[in-house]
Every structure is written in structure tokens, then in C-alpha cells.
Amino acid sequence: MDLALYARLVWRYRTWFAAVAVLAVVLSLLSYARIGPSGITPRGSETWQAKSTLLISQEGFPYGRAVPRYQTEKDSNGPAVLLGDQNRFAALSQVYAQLANSDVVRTMLNASEPVNGTVSADAAVDPNGMALPLLNITAIAPTLEGASRLAASASSAFRDYVARRQQDAGIAAADRVELQVLNSGQHAILVAPRKKTLPMLVFFAVMAAAFGIVLVLENQRRAAAEDSDVRAGQEVAVHPHHAQHANGAEHANGHGGARPDGAPAVVDGLPAVRGVAAAPAEPSQRLA
């Protein structure tokens, strides 16, 4: 590939390439965003993720006790029960994750507000894979505000569901599991930005098409120039008297086709022969 040749070609058609580059930029921007009465709106969609975290606990914040506390039921000879058993709460996180993903909770969520996204719940685990008394509710939506709002709504819907079931079962307030909000999901993160592949493809496609058109035009220009040279050579060969008239004119001027020192005249680096037409130059190679 002759880079110098292509560089000269670009420079020769620099005005054309500048205009096409501006057109390519405009088309790329239009493929990335639409322009309307409300202004410039990006095309495509983003993916935002927000996570709400619930702590599975009970009344009195048992995680704040340094010494475990046991309680014995009144009028019962059974063993004392550990209050705030963290292992039990960790086990409940697996069950509550399934309840949060149930159709009943999703129906409650849809009744509270239109859902534009997806929601999923899972039990939290530590780096060693051990279950924690934490429940994560993850919401995915196309906007930051939508993801945050959906995570908060899903968390509220699940807490309402558990409270309703506890009330229906007649569980005393002191014996109920509490779901305390640790993270409401307000800090959403962008997990999938808008793709810029299409604008890039549009830009390179327009520039490639422009370069292809320039190559065709340049080949046509070279072909026309070569045909003109061939026709000129053929006319001289068919009408040699024109060359004789030219030689006569030279004699009349006292030159006789020779230089003052008597040497024959040189044309294009070769000695000129009177009455003989010079062969046309070989056509130059065309651009591939």
C-alpha cells in the first residue's frame, strides 16, 4: 500500500473530505440522539441498579448485647430460649428471599405503582459463603430515579407482606421478626451505559464511502488523461505533414531543429528527429 500516494489523494480532494467529515459527524450524532421539541434526547437506554438491604432482627436490637440472653416461657418446664439467635436469623434470610420473590409480593408491588424494571431478592453471604441475617433486594431499571424508587418500593412491599402475615397469625409484637432497613436503595449505579457502536459505524461507513468515490473519480480522471495522450499521438502519426511544416518553420527561423552548437534539439530528454512523431508516453498505473 502506497501511503504517500493516498495522502496526496486526500490532500487533492481535501475540500471534499472536509465536507464529508462534517456530514459523517452529523449523521453519527443523529444516530446517537434524537432532536425534538423537548431538546436532544439520547437514543437507546441505560441500565441502572439499586440495592435495598434489610436486617433480619427482632425487638430490642439483640445484636447490641455483649452477653447472650435466654428466656423461659411462663408456665413451661421447657428449656430456655436464646433471644436474638443470629444463626436462626441467618437461616431465615434464605426463606425470606424466596418469599420476597413470590408472586404475592410482586402483586403487592404492582398494585402500589407501575413497575418499569425487574426486582430480585437474595440472601447475603460473607466471603466464606456463610449466610448472614441480611436480605438484599435488587432493582434494575432504565433510569437512576426509577431503579432507586423501585428498590425502595419493593423493600416496603415485602415488609408490609411480612407484617400482615404476622398480624394474621396473631404473633405478639415482642415475638415478631423485624425487618430493619439498612440501605433504602437511593445510591443506584450505572451497570450498562448507552452503546456508542452505532455512531462509530455510521462515521466510518460514511468516510469509507467517500474514499471509495474519490478513488473512482481519480481513476476516471487518469483514464481520460491517458486517452487524450493516445489520441494526440495517433493524430501526429496519421498526419506527418504537420511535423514537416513544423520543421520548415524551424528552418525559416534559422534553427533547423538544432541547438546553436549543432546538436539536435532535445525533447523530453530525447533527441528530436525531424518528421518523426514522438511515441506517446506509456499510461501511468491507475489507482487500485
Side-chain angles (χ1 to χ4, degrees), residues 190-281:
L190 181 63
V191 294
R194 291 184 177 89
K195 296 182 179 180
K196 300 178 178 63
T197 306
L198 181 59
M200 296 175 62
L201 289 177
V202 170
F203 179 83
F204 286 115
V206 173
M207 295 304 298
F211 200 82
I213 294 175
V214 166
L215 288 178
V216 173
L217 295 176
E218 181 66 11
N219 283 332
Q220 291 179 350
R221 186 188 69 82
R222 288 173 176 263
E226 293 170 0
D227 293 342
S228 178
D229 293 341
V230 171
R231 286 195 299 270
Q234 291 176 348
E235 290 178 358
V236 172
V238 172
H239 304 286
H241 62 278
H242 291 297
Q244 295 177 358
H245 285 301
N247 293 335
E250 292 175 354
H251 283 292
N253 293 331
H255 296 294
R259 296 184 301 185
D261 56 0
V266 177
V267 179
D268 291 340
L270 298 174
V273 181
R274 298 176 184 176
V276 179

Side-chain angles (χ1 to χ4, degrees), residues 3-93:
L3 296 180
L5 178 62
Y6 287 112
R8 291 194 299 270
L9 186 63
V10 172
W11 179 250
R12 177 178 300 167
Y13 294 91
R14 56 187 178 276
T15 304
W16 161 261
F17 277 112
V20 172
V22 173
L23 176 63
V25 171
V26 172
L27 293 178
S28 299
L29 293 177
L30 291 178
S31 67
Y32 182 76
R34 61 174 60 91
I35 302 176
S38 58
I40 300 177
T41 304
R43 300 178 186 271
S45 61
E46 299 174 327
T47 302
W48 290 84
Q49 176 181 294
K51 181 180 294 185
S52 176
T53 304
L54 302 178
L55 172 65
I56 303 174
S57 183
Q58 70 178 77
E59 186 180 13
F61 190 59
Y63 299 100
R65 297 181 181 274
V67 179
R69 180 181 175 185
Y70 293 85
Q71 181 179 1
T72 303
E73 296 289 341
K74 295 181 180 180
D75 302 330
S76 175
N77 295 324
V81 179
L82 176 64
L83 296 179
D85 188 354
Q86 299 182 16
N87 292 329
R88 183 172 181 274
F89 291 154
L92 284 177
S93 66

Side-chain angles (χ1 to χ4, degrees), residues 108-119:
M108 295 176 59
L109 177 60
N110 292 330
S112 62
E113 65 172 82
V115 177
N116 183 18
T118 60
V119 179

